[in-house]
Amino acid sequence: MQGGTAMLDNTGTETETLLDVSNIEVIYNSVILVLKGVSLKVPKGGITALLGGNGAGKTTTLKAISNLLHSERGAVTKGTITYRGERVQELSPEALVKRGVIQVMEGRHCFEHLTIEENLMTGAYTRGDGKGAVSADLEMVYNYFPRLRERRKSQAGYTSGGEQQMCAIGRALMSRPETILLDEPSMGLAPQLVEEIFGIVKDLNEREGVSFLLAEQNTNVALRFAHHGYILESGRVVMEGPAAELRENPDVKEFYLGVSDEGRKSFRDVRSYRRRKRWLA
Ligand SMILES: Nc1ncnc2c1ncn2[C@@H]1O[C@H](COP(=O)(O)OP(=O)(O)OP(=O)(O)O)[C@@H](O)[C@H]1O
Ligand SMILES: [Mg+2]
């Protein structure tokens, strides 16, 4: 697909598609088929959620986009990934950062032995626009994350999980990204901190115009902050739509938002259950 493709946002307004993932297949170790034809679009200025349980393929999708699969012996074997109409599958992660796309890895990877501020500064390494612009952005990051300003001289390894997640997002911001691929920001954090971090993501989206593709198991929080959502199960998109619609969808409510005694079921279980019911009826 070419650049400038239009899609409709929640209000029916046409928006530009930045990232277009079309029918990708990913195989690990030449044999394990993990993504079985995943398609999704990330519009400019939106927060797009990629939802699904353990092992659904969220991280694999993000890594396929940012070309981080090679180190895991994974490869995209079918389909296309374009950013602003340009095929980006053969680009290095650094080249993609230069085009404005950066990934914040699952598990908030900070350099433990560096201070918070040194960590943030490593995010600016691909930039060539001078010290003044970089220090203005450092100030911007500290304004969004006041906790990081307080801890700026602390060794990252000794800061809390929430602070490390903030540091990982802050470091990504230092590359001046247009799009951030954010993997599981809620992981292991207390609900109040999760709210705080999602609130900042929303502010960054609205005030700085950063677009997000957000992988989350925490459907409830993600659908409150995102504009559009895709639900992945076993490497396939089983449902997609505006976040407000997904929140009201009875199946999503039951299987992703509700807390049932049996834990989370999958859409596939529902479908086979329905088939069984029809058959019995
Ligand atoms: N390097 C790898 N080699 C082989 N299989 C892998 C590798 N990485 C992931 N997988 C498998 O691919 C599937 C999808 O994993 P992935 O990490 O993408 O899921 P996820 O949706 O991010 O899950 P989680 O919410 O637990 O992070 C899983 O079955 C996983 O075991
Ligand atoms: Mg994951």
Side-chain angles (χ1 to χ4, degrees):
M1 217 173 265
Q2 287 308 301
T5 31
M7 58 195 288
L8 298 180
D9 72 8
N10 287 347
T11 59
T13 318
E14 273 199 0
T15 54
E16 186 187 350
T17 300
L18 290 179
L19 180 67
D20 193 337
V21 174
S22 177
N23 208 18
I24 59 165
E25 198 175 86
V26 167
I27 295 184
Y28 284 113
N29 295 315
S30 310
V31 285
I32 311 163
L33 177 63
V34 167
L35 297 190
K36 304 157 187 168
V38 168
S39 298
L40 60 87
K41 288 176 196 251
V42 175
K44 187 168 172 55
I47 301 178
T48 305
L50 183 59
L51 306 164
N54 264 325
K58 304 179 296 298
T59 298
T60 301
T61 305
L62 296 196
K63 285 186 174 169
I65 296 165
S66 48
N67 268 312
L68 294 168
L69 284 176
H70 302 296
S71 54
E72 306 219 13
R73 300 170 51 84
V76 178
T77 48
K78 258 190 203 161
T80 53
I81 303 171
T82 61
Y83 192 77
R84 289 185 166 280
E86 179 195 7
R87 193 180 151 98
V88 291
Q89 269 145 281
E90 285 79 28
L91 295 181
S92 67
E94 291 76 19
L96 200 60
V97 172
K98 286 218 162 110
R99 282 162 178 76
V101 186
I102 190 157
Q103 176 158 356
V104 176
M105 307 277 274
E106 186 176 62
R108 42 182 176 269
H109 291 273
C110 294
F111 300 109
E112 292 185 0
H113 300 293
L114 300 183
T115 65
I116 291 287
E117 186 153 304
E118 286 164 348
N119 265 281
L120 294 175
M121 291 305 289
T122 63
Y125 80 103
T126 51
R127 292 173 55 160
D129 55 355
K131 274 189 180 167
V134 171
S135 52
D137 283 348
L138 187 63
E139 193 53 30
M140 183 260 299
V141 170
Y142 285 146
N143 287 338
Y144 279 100
F145 298 100
R147 281 160 181 256
L148 294 185
R149 191 194 299 278
E150 284 165 29
R151 306 302 306 272
R152 68 183 194 278
K153 300 261 184 275
S154 309
Q155 202 174 312
Y158 294 119
T159 62
S160 72
E163 286 158 354
Q164 290 185 28
Q165 181 66 72
M166 292 176 185
C167 179
I169 298 172
R171 191 176 64 197
L173 283 171
M174 290 301 291
S175 72
R176 273 266 150 209
E178 181 175 50
T179 300
I180 296 182
L181 312 175
L182 185 52
D183 198 354
E184 210 93 47
S186 77
M187 192 194 264
L189 300 182
Q192 205 183 330
L193 255 175
V194 173
E195 287 292 320
E196 187 178 334
I197 286 175
F198 272 78
I200 295 169
V201 164
K202 185 165 179 274
D203 283 350
L204 288 167
N205 172 252
E206 288 173 358
R207 297 196 214 144
E208 308 296 326
V210 181
S211 305
F212 284 88
L213 176 59
L214 182 76
E216 258 302 338
Q217 284 203 26
N218 191 333
T219 313
N220 191 351
V221 178
L223 285 182
R224 273 195 287 118
F225 287 90
H227 304 112
H228 200 88
Y230 292 84
I231 299 181
L232 268 187
E233 270 189 16
S234 312
R236 287 196 174 89
V237 174
V238 290
M239 191 177 275
E240 69 155 300
E245 277 176 27
L246 290 178
R247 271 203 313 268
E248 295 308 317
N249 180 288
D251 285 343
V252 175
K253 271 186 174 167
E254 184 175 357
F255 297 104
Y256 285 92
L257 299 174
V259 188
S260 79
D261 292 342
E262 300 161 61
R264 182 167 28 217
K265 285 192 201 163
S266 80
F267 281 125
R268 264 217 242 117
D269 294 339
V270 193
R271 277 201 296 269
S272 61
Y273 170 69
R274 281 187 186 145
R275 266 201 301 277
R276 209 161 57 231
K277 230 170 71 175
R278 260 202 316 273
W279 195 73
L280 290 170

